[in-house]
Amino acid sequence: MKEVDVRGLSCPEPVMMTAEALKNADGPIKVLVSEAHQKTNVEKYAKDHGKKVTTTEKGSEFELVIE
């Protein structure tokens, strides 16, 4: 599973990096984000493109698996 670490990056970088990873992925990808608004933006992008998103809170950070 490809992992995209966008923790600490400013918008729109998390969404742009997720989009690039999805374009090149041949399976699910894992996206690591450090803030709630990053999580919301990445989830919205993925769902808008027909993907399923599973989110897990890891302390103060979030792990999103996009399929």
Side-chain angles (χ1 to χ4, degrees):
M1 179 181 314
K2 182 171 180 158
E3 186 174 288
V4 181
D5 186 350
V6 296
R7 294 176 287 189
L9 298 178
S10 299
C11 288
E13 279 186 290
V15 172
M16 291 170 49
M17 290 175 69
T18 300
E20 188 65 28
L22 284 171
K23 202 184 316 179
N24 299 319
D26 57 355
I29 66 166
K30 181 191 300 182
V31 183
L32 305 174
V33 300
S34 55
E35 298 181 34
H37 71 275
Q38 294 171 324
K39 174 184 79 76
T40 303
N41 291 343
V42 170
E43 282 177 333
K44 181 175 179 353
Y45 177 85
K47 289 177 181 176
D48 287 350
H49 288 82
K51 303 293 184 183
K52 177 182 174 243
V53 182
T54 306
T55 304
T56 307
E57 193 166 347
K58 303 268 186 177
S60 63
E61 300 178 339
F62 302 92
E63 178 182 291
L64 294 83
V65 176
I66 302 172
E67 302 178 71

